[in-house]
Amino acid sequence: MSLNRRQKWRIEKIQSERIARANSVADNAQNPADYAPQTGLVITRYGQRLLVENEAGDLIQCTSRRNIDLSVAGDQVIFMTNADNSGVVTAILERDNCLKRSGKLIAANIDEMRLVVALQPHYQFDLIDRYLIVAENAQLPISIVVNKIELSANIEQVKKDFSMYRSIGIDVHYLSVKEQIGTQDFKEQIGGKSNIFLGQSGVGKSSLINELLPDLNLKIAQISAKSKLGKHTTTATTLYHIPTGGDLIDSPGVREFHLDNLTNAQILSGFKEFKPLMGQCKFRNCTHKSEPDCAIKNALESGAIHPKRYETYLSLMDE
Ligand SMILES: Nc1nc2c(ncn2[C@@H]2O[C@H](COP(=O)(O)OP(=O)(O)OP(=O)(O)O)[C@@H](O)[C@H]2O)c(=O)[nH]1
Ligand SMILES: [Mg+2]
Ligand SMILES: [Zn+2]
C-alpha cells in the first residue's frame, strides 16, 4: 500500500467511522450488545460470510448488513462486534479499484494483477488476452507468470510465444515452483504491493503462493492425470499478508471466462497496442475487419500488430 493510499484511507476511515458511529447510536438503542464500530480488512468471503481482520490483526467472522453492497477480499470495511464476538459489516470504504470477472466482483484495492499460466494445462492466447482486456479496462497493471517451465522441452519456443506480450510492455516471468526455478527473482518483484493471482485451475497459483509464503500450507490440487486439468481446489478468493509488507491474494481458477459485460468499444480499448492507431482509419466507424485504409489492418500487415492478437480481437467481436 503506498503512503498516499494509506493516508487517504486514514482520512476516509475517520469520516466513515464518524458516520458509522452516528448510525450505531440508533442501533444500540435496539441492540445494546453492539460495540463500537471498528475498521477492518476483508480477508475472504464464503457466500454470505466474511472473515474480517481488525487493526490488531485478529480475525472476526462477520455477516453483512443487508442494505450494503457485497464486500470482497481487499475491501476496507466498518464493522461492529456482538457480545458473542461475531461481527456485522455496516459499511464499505471507498475502493481505489475493484476487479470483476464475467461481471462478478472478485477483489478490491489491488495494485497488480498476476496472471498465472502454465505448460500444463497449456496456456491459451485468447484467455491471456481476455485478462489483459480486463486489466486495461480496470486500469490495473498486469504481468504474466509462466509456471511449470521444467515441463518444456523447448523453453526458447515458449519465450518466443510470449515475446508478443513483452513487445507491448507486459512483464513475463518464467518459473517452476516444482524445481524452484525463477521463484526467488519473482519474490523480489512482489513486496509492498497487493498482488492478485489469477488464471486457469491447475496452473499452480496456490503452489506459487505457498512457495512465496512457506508458513501458509495452502491446499493444492492433485492434478488429474486423465484430463490434465485442475480440479478447482481453491474455492474462495483469500488475502494473505507478506510478513515484510504487501499482500498476495489467491483466487479460484476458472476454465474460461467471457467478456459479456464489456462493450465492443471496451474490448477494443483493451488492446493497448491498438490505442495509438485509433482515429487513423479512413472510416470513423471502422470495425477494423475489412474496411479499406484501416490503420489496424495496415499495422497488422507491417508486423506492428501480432496476428494472434488481431485474431483474438476478431473472435471477441463475433462473440
Ligand atoms: N510439474 C509442475 N507441477 C506444478 C508446478 N507448480 C505446481 N504444480 C502442480 O500443479 C497442480 C495444481 O496446483 P495448484 O497450486 O493447486 O493450482 P491452482 O492454480 O491453485 O488451481 P485452482 O486452485 O484450482 O485454481 C498441483 O498438482 C501442483 O503440485 C510446477 O512448477 N511444475
Ligand atoms: Mg488454488
Ligand atoms: Zn480500422
Side-chain angles (χ1 to χ4, degrees):
M1 199 187 284
S2 68
L3 193 63
N4 272 340
R5 196 156 114 202
R6 199 176 284 277
Q7 286 166 335
K8 200 173 134 213
W9 179 51
R10 293 270 169 227
I11 295 164
E12 278 165 5
K13 185 188 128 175
I14 291 163
Q15 287 168 343
S16 310
E17 279 180 349
R18 206 172 286 151
I19 297 166
R21 211 168 282 136
N23 288 340
S24 78
V25 172
D27 287 332
N28 281 340
Q30 291 156 7
N31 184 1
D34 282 357
Y35 294 104
Q38 315 172 39
T39 325
L41 171 70
V42 176
I43 298 297
T44 188
R45 180 171 65 82
Y46 305 88
Q48 301 302 310
R49 283 166 177 276
L50 298 161
L51 200 59
V52 175
E53 184 188 71
N54 69 12
E55 289 198 347
D58 303 322
L59 298 175
I60 295 111
Q61 291 269 9
C62 291
T63 53
S64 188
R65 272 277 158 78
R66 259 194 222 134
N67 58 350
I68 65 167
D69 281 347
L70 212 62
S71 47
V72 287
D75 261 324
Q76 301 281 359
V77 295
I78 303 291
F79 73 101
M80 289 183 287
T81 49
N82 300 315
D84 65 359
N85 214 25
S86 67
V88 182
V89 171
T90 57
I92 305 170
L93 301 195
E94 199 188 321
R95 294 172 176 138
D96 270 2
N97 56 52
C98 63
L99 183 67
K100 286 180 181 168
R101 184 170 51 198
S102 302
K104 239 180 89 190
L105 193 57
I106 297 180
N109 302 318
I110 294 151
D111 294 318
E112 184 137 4
M113 290 165 65
R114 307 288 186 176
L115 173 60
V116 184
V117 298
L119 274 290
Q120 205 182 83
H122 202 274
Y123 49 82
Q124 294 164 17
F125 298 113
D126 69 315
L127 190 68
I128 295 172
D129 289 337
R130 283 166 211 255
Y131 277 100
L132 299 192
I133 292 165
V134 167
E136 197 67 19
N137 276 278
Q139 295 187 309
L140 280 171
I142 184 166
S143 67
I144 301 172
V145 177
V146 186
N147 187 29
K148 312 196 189 183
I149 57 161
E150 93 285 355
L151 295 176
S152 170
N154 187 353
I155 187 67
E156 287 316 310
Q157 181 56 47
V158 176
K159 288 189 174 169
K160 215 171 139 198
D161 281 347
F162 285 90
S163 64
M164 67 173 158
Y165 296 113
R166 280 230 152 106
S167 73
I168 59 170
I170 289 161
D171 276 343
V172 184
H173 306 274
Y174 302 94
L175 48 90
S176 163
V177 173
K178 191 178 171 199
E179 305 283 320
Q180 303 205 334
I181 305 167
T183 46
Q184 197 54 40
D185 281 352
F186 184 67
K187 206 170 188 167
E188 282 155 27
Q189 301 269 320
I190 56 169
K193 287 189 258 186
S194 176
N195 303 270
I196 183 160
F197 290 75
L198 300 152
Q200 260 182 295
S201 182
V203 293
K205 300 177 293 297
S206 302
S207 305
L208 178 56
I209 292 176
N210 264 341
E211 177 66 26
L212 299 167
L213 301 173
D215 292 340
L216 265 184
N217 264 319
L218 289 183
K219 198 168 167 210
I220 291 181
Q222 290 303 317
I223 203 159
S224 147
K226 216 174 183 182
S227 70
K228 301 255 184 357
L229 290 171
K231 294 197 288 192
H232 300 272
T233 309
T234 305
T235 52
T237 301
T238 306
L239 183 149
Y240 304 99
H241 295 303
I242 306 171
T244 52
D247 301 308
L248 304 180
I249 304 176
D250 194 9
S251 76
V254 288
R255 249 169 224 162
E256 53 180 40
F257 82 97
H258 297 287
L259 300 173
D260 304 342
N261 301 82
L262 298 182
T263 63
N264 277 356
Q266 284 171 319
I267 291 172
L268 177 62
S269 70
F271 286 83
K272 57 195 279 189
E273 73 274 40
F274 292 13
K275 274 188 182 162
L277 303 169
M278 290 297 110
Q280 291 183 31
C281 301
K282 179 174 178 183
F283 298 110
R284 272 240 249 145
N285 59 353
C286 187
T287 62
H288 323 299
K289 287 181 184 167
S290 52
E291 294 89 339
D293 285 340
C294 166
I296 300 287
K297 294 212 73 171
N298 288 345
L300 178 70
E301 263 150 49
S302 76
I305 286 178
H306 197 284
K308 286 221 165 71
R309 294 274 290 165
Y310 183 68
E311 204 179 288
T312 308
Y313 166 73
L314 287 186
S315 71
L316 291 175
M317 286 297 134
D318 289 342
E319 262 182 19

